[in-house]
Amino acid sequence: MDNNQFNKPSALRPQAYANYTDDEIDLRELFGVLWSAKWLIAGVVVAAAIASLIYSLMLTNIYRAEAVLAPADEQQSNNMNSQLGGAAALLGVNLGAGGGDKVTTAIAVMKSREFIGQFIDEHKLLVPLFAGKWNAEDASSVVDQEIYNNINGTWVQEGGEPSRLEAYRKFLEILSVSSPDNETGLVTVSINWHDPVLASAWVNQLVADINRDSKVRDVAEATNAIEYLRNQLGATQLVEMQRVFYQLIESQTRITMLADVRNEYVFRIIDPAVVPDQKVAPRRKMICIFGTMLGGFFVVLFVIIRSYFFRDAD
């Protein structure tokens, strides 16, 4: 083999050098194209920044009211449940859920269609949810007359009065209920709304209603269980079974007594909701930054496409 062939310039080297030169020329050309349209780019970027600022200022402030809850003390009830759980299961008697299960059930009920629908109907939230808007002049929530005429009490929007399912979805959009913390068991209930006073009032009322609803459910079950156990007690002559029945009746009576003396039946309020004074949305700074960057991106893309289009046309 001839060693001189290694000293010969490769046929690929000029081509690679040419590609490198072409890339460098393309970058210079691209910079030149952008520089020639610098005033257009600057104008669009400024316009995008101003438009983003105006848009962000037009958005209504959203406030978050939240309450921190702890599970009510169920240690004594849990001890009784563990002792009589087997006998109660055989008789079909519900001793009531334990502390953790009761909280989980209450959270599920709080987010259910039935409970939220009743909450909206009972506290007349349909109009504020769909027709309420914020009046910045006097810092208060008012009714949008184009949606609901509060003089004659009629819905004037297209489609008429919102359905119960629409109201449920609307309320679920502003409601947030956290899962119990693994270590502390604390639960946070929050509502995001343009009226901070209404937001705090709705959160506190929601907690009060779920405690009341859970209490009513448990009392009704316990009352039915006591009546059933008393009937079974009169029908048996076995002393051992009578002792079990008495213990079960005692446990159900304890549920009704506990419900009578404790309003915070499922959730104990650690920190009630107060009227928030700081908004959580909109994030106006991020809107302005994103809008400005988006405007800059599109104008640069437009300049590049226009330049190459006219160059190819020539």
Side-chain angles (χ1 to χ4, degrees):
M1 179 179 295
D2 188 1
N3 293 331
N4 292 331
Q5 63 180 346
F6 294 102
N7 298 326
K8 295 179 180 179
S10 172
L12 298 177
R13 292 179 184 175
Q15 183 65 32
Y17 179 77
N19 290 339
Y20 174 78
T21 305
D22 291 342
D23 292 340
E24 185 177 1
I25 294 174
D26 290 343
L27 291 177
R28 290 179 179 178
E29 182 181 357
L30 178 61
F31 179 78
V33 169
L34 296 178
W35 181 255
S36 63
K38 59 182 179 295
W39 296 116
L40 173 63
I41 296 175
V44 172
V45 169
V46 171
I50 295 175
S52 301
L53 178 61
I54 294 174
Y55 172 74
S56 65
L57 293 175
M58 292 175 60
L59 296 176
T60 304
N61 289 340
I62 301 298
Y63 299 88
R64 175 178 297 159
E66 60 182 17
V68 180
L69 315 174
D73 185 15
E74 295 287 341
Q75 185 62 37
Q76 185 176 3
S77 175
N78 288 342
N79 292 338
M80 180 64 70
N81 289 356
S82 62
Q83 296 173 6
L84 302 177
L90 291 175
L91 294 171
V93 176
N94 182 16
L95 293 180
D101 292 338
K102 189 182 290 290
V103 169
T104 303
T105 302
I107 291 176
V109 172
M110 195 185 304
K111 296 188 290 186
S112 66
R113 288 188 295 270
E114 180 182 359
F115 178 80
I116 291 179
Q118 292 176 353
F119 182 79
I120 293 174
D121 293 341
E122 181 177 351
H123 301 288
K124 304 184 186 322
L125 304 186
L126 195 62
V127 174
L129 275 177
F130 287 89
K133 67 177 183 178
W134 185 251
N135 186 1
E137 294 181 358
D138 56 0
S140 64
S141 184
V142 297
V143 176
D144 190 345
Q145 297 297 319
E146 296 182 357
I147 299 178
Y148 180 81
N149 189 330
N150 58 355
I151 297 178
N152 54 24
T154 57
W155 291 87
V156 296
Q157 67 173 357
E158 184 179 355
E161 180 178 347
S163 66
R164 193 182 182 93
L165 188 58
E166 289 175 333
Y168 163 74
R169 292 176 183 146
K170 182 73 172 180
F171 192 82
L172 205 61
E173 290 177 358
I174 65 175
L175 173 66
S176 175
V177 183
S178 70
S179 299
D181 185 85
N182 294 331
E183 296 182 358
T184 63
L186 296 179
V187 176
T188 301
V189 179
S190 63
I191 286 180
N192 294 341
W193 195 240
H194 61 257
D195 189 334
V197 177
L198 284 180
S200 61
W202 291 352
V203 170
N204 290 328
Q205 190 61 58
L206 192 69
V207 175
D209 283 11
I210 192 62
N211 275 325
R212 183 193 63 187
D213 182 82
S214 300
K215 180 166 60 174
V216 169
R217 290 171 184 263
D218 283 1
V219 168
E221 290 183 1
T223 302
N224 293 334
I226 291 173
E227 182 180 358
Y228 170 77
L229 290 171
R230 285 175 177 171
N231 293 334
Q232 295 298 316
L233 179 63
T236 182
Q237 301 298 323
L238 298 177
V239 176
E240 187 65 25
M241 288 298 299
Q242 290 179 348
R243 184 181 66 83
V244 172
F245 284 141
Y246 279 124
Q247 290 179 337
L248 290 174
I249 291 174
E250 179 185 356
S251 68
Q252 297 300 301
T253 304
R254 183 179 289 108
I255 292 177
T256 59
M257 293 175 59
L258 182 64
D260 289 337
V261 300
R262 190 166 69 185
N263 291 327
E264 296 181 342
Y265 184 71
V266 178
F267 293 113
R268 183 163 52 91
I269 301 175
I270 301 299
D271 188 13
V274 297
V275 178
D277 58 357
Q278 294 182 345
K279 65 179 180 65
V280 295
R283 302 177 63 181
R284 292 187 171 89
K285 184 182 296 184
M286 295 302 301
I287 292 176
C288 292
I289 293 175
F290 179 76
T292 303
M293 294 178 60
L294 194 64
F297 171 77
F298 279 113
V299 70
V300 168
L301 185 64
F302 168 75
V303 169
I304 294 175
I305 293 177
R306 184 187 64 174
S307 173
Y308 280 90
F309 175 77
F310 283 113
R311 187 183 69 175
D312 293 342
D314 296 339

